C-alpha cells in the first residue's frame, strides 16, 4: 500500500436548517475548488439566535484531502 500525504484546511459552513446542512454547505463549496477530498472533522458548532429562535447554524470543520504528487 502506498503512503499518502494530506493537506488540511479549516472551513465554516452555515445553514438556516441544521448542523448537517452547515457541514454539507462547507463540503460542497470546498469541492468546487479542492480535489481529492477525503474526510472532515467537526471542530466547533455554534449558531446565531434571533428573537429566541435559532436563525443560523455555523459549523467549523477541518477538511482533509490528498496532496497531488508532482510529475517529472
Amino acid at each position: 500500500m502506498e503512503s499518502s500525504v494530506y493537506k488540511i484546511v479549516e472551513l465554516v459552513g452555515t445553514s438556516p436548517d441544521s448542523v448537517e446542512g452547515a457541514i454539507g454547505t462547507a463540503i460542497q463549496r470546498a469541492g468546487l475548488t479542492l480535489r481529492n477530498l477525503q474526510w472532515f472533522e467537526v471542530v466547533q458548532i455554534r449558531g446565531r439566535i434571533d428573537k429566541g429562535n435559532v436563525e443560523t447554524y455555523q459549523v467549523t470543520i477541518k477538511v482533509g484531502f490528498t496532496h497531488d504528487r508532482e510529475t517529472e
Side-chain angles (χ1 to χ4, degrees):
M1 180 176 190
E2 188 175 315
S3 298
S4 296
V5 174
Y6 294 91
K7 173 119 176 123
I8 300 171
V9 296
E10 193 167 85
L11 307 168
V12 178
T14 64
S15 170
D17 301 316
S18 66
V19 168
E20 292 86 358
I23 293 168
T25 296
I27 291 172
Q28 287 173 356
R29 186 72 56 88
L32 296 175
T33 57
L34 299 174
R35 295 188 312 271
N36 306 320
L37 296 176
Q38 299 291 318
W39 54 267
F40 73 92
E41 171 188 358
V42 174
V43 177
Q44 185 178 54
I45 299 172
R46 61 183 174 279
R48 179 167 168 69
I49 300 169
D50 184 34
K51 298 177 184 165
N53 295 308
V54 175
E55 179 182 76
T56 308
Y57 296 88
Q58 300 174 336
V59 180
T60 303
I61 62 174
K62 290 182 180 180
V63 178
F65 56 97
T66 53
H67 199 277
D68 286 338
R69 287 180 175 231
E70 291 186 27
T71 57
E72 295 180 23

